[in-house]
Amino acid sequence: MQLLKDKVVFLTGGTEGIGYECAKAYHKAGARLSIISHKEDSLQQCQGQFFGDDIHYILADVSRAADIARAIVETVAVFGRIDVIHNNAGVSNPSKTVSDTTDEEWDKVFNVNVKGIYHTAKYGIEELKKTQGTILNTGSLVGDIGQELHAAYTATKGAVNALTKSMALDYAPFGIRVNAVAPAGVWTPMLRRWSNQQPQAAHIEEYLDGIHPLGYCPEGDVVADACLFMISEQARFITGCILPVTGGAELGYRKYLEQQVKDGKAVLSVDIKAKQA
């Protein structure tokens, strides 16, 4: 059974990582895709390996209102409708405390991770009203529990959680569902870049495996499977939900970090304490 047969999905950040895995899962489930990315090289690379009459690529930046207004109009012109908006585009930099974060860095992460959702809703909601469609936001576990050295990023993901719930209430009268998925660690190009920026980068893989009670840091396909469920009719009575796709990380995250600190192996917090000493 194709869960998304003939559905049109507007997917931001769909050429890499979780977004790309979602694009493949949605297409396999029968969806027609409008894939948005602000990276021209990534867009071209993806076009070369993932293509078809039911896949349309758009170069656009979610932080720019005009880009998203144009992308929504273009998607409707190509496919005639929009059933799903998946706000997956996001950035994680900088890896800093609040006081070390510059104005420019703060604004950039908020403009992409939060204002990007504002733009897709502002310019796409009328299309979703026509189809009684759904919105899915890619959040993060750290939006709920926090994370050292990622003040701006965690703040945006906390905002995504609250925004998801408020939008769910606002748009429920129109039959529109709004949900979010909240992964912990997931191996993506962005996570690998993040890993290289950490104080003890050589131990990051062990750290990421360790924070998940199921024993490993997954690839993006596990999140894509959850996303497919959340935008399908299988989840037709679910709205305002922040779905953890974490391998149980929220259950053992702090306990693992405490043990790492005791053993002198922590890859994040020990360095902060050392700087403060």
Side-chain angles (χ1 to χ4, degrees):
M1 179 176 65
Q2 290 190 308
L3 293 178
L4 302 180
K5 183 172 174 56
D6 296 328
K7 299 291 186 182
V8 175
V9 179
F10 184 94
L11 172 63
T12 69
T15 60
E16 295 181 3
I18 291 172
Y20 181 58
E21 293 299 328
C22 286
K24 293 190 294 183
Y26 297 167
H27 188 251
K28 185 177 180 180
R32 295 176 287 169
L33 300 173
S34 186
I35 299 176
I36 289 77
S37 176
H38 76 290
K39 297 179 182 178
E40 188 168 7
D41 57 343
S42 180
L43 202 70
Q44 291 176 348
Q45 182 178 357
C46 197
Q47 281 179 300
Q49 59 193 23
F50 185 54
F51 54 86
D53 293 339
D54 50 2
I55 302 173
H56 183 68
Y57 289 92
I58 301 175
L59 182 66
D61 185 337
V62 297
S63 69
R64 297 177 181 174
D67 279 18
I68 295 306
R70 169 178 55 81
I72 291 289
V73 169
E74 187 173 328
T75 298
V76 175
V78 171
F79 294 122
R81 58 189 287 154
I82 297 175
D83 298 278
V84 178
I85 293 176
H86 182 174
N87 294 298
N88 178 71
V91 293
S92 61
N93 288 336
S95 296
K96 297 179 179 179
T97 63
V98 168
S99 55
D100 289 333
T101 303
T102 67
D103 285 353
E104 292 76 14
E105 290 169 333
W106 184 271
D107 288 344
K108 180 179 179 180
V109 71
F110 268 88
N111 285 342
V112 174
N113 294 3
V114 184
K115 201 168 187 179
I117 297 174
Y118 164 74
H119 286 150
T120 61
K122 184 177 180 68
Y123 297 106
I125 198 65
E126 293 304 320
E127 295 303 324
L128 292 183
K129 287 179 182 179
K130 296 174 186 176
T131 59
Q132 292 191 317
T134 186
I135 296 172
L136 182 66
N137 301 321
T138 299
S140 171
L141 173 63
V142 300
D144 182 44
I145 67 173
Q147 186 178 22
E148 293 147 314
L149 289 179
H150 291 86
Y153 176 70
T154 59
T156 65
K157 294 304 183 179
V160 168
N161 288 352
L163 184 58
T164 296
K165 294 176 182 180
S166 294
M167 291 170 66
L169 291 170
D170 287 338
Y171 300 124
F174 303 98
I176 296 170
R177 298 185 299 109
V178 186
N179 294 292
V181 291
V186 181
W187 284 118
T188 65
M190 186 168 73
L191 183 65
R192 294 189 187 283
R193 290 190 293 269
W194 171 87
S195 298
N196 292 330
Q197 296 168 3
Q198 300 316 303
Q200 297 188 43
H203 301 289
I204 284 290
E205 186 168 345
E206 178 187 359
Y207 162 77
L208 289 171
D209 285 344
I211 65 173
H212 300 85
L214 288 182
Y216 66 97
C217 182
E219 300 291 333
D221 61 320
V222 301
V223 183
D225 286 344
C227 291
L228 173 59
F229 165 71
M230 291 300 280
I231 68 171
S232 76
E233 285 298 303
Q234 301 280 0
R236 60 191 175 277
F237 205 62
I238 299 174
T239 196
C241 173
I242 314 299
L243 179 68
V245 189
T246 62
E250 67 274 23
L251 306 176
Y253 185 83
R254 290 187 177 88
K255 181 178 179 181
Y256 174 79
L257 290 183
E258 288 168 2
Q259 187 60 50
Q260 288 284 290
V261 170
K262 289 178 182 177
D263 294 343
K265 297 179 180 178
V267 297
L268 299 178
S269 59
V270 165
D271 293 87
I272 294 177
K273 291 178 174 65
K275 288 179 182 178
Q276 293 174 340

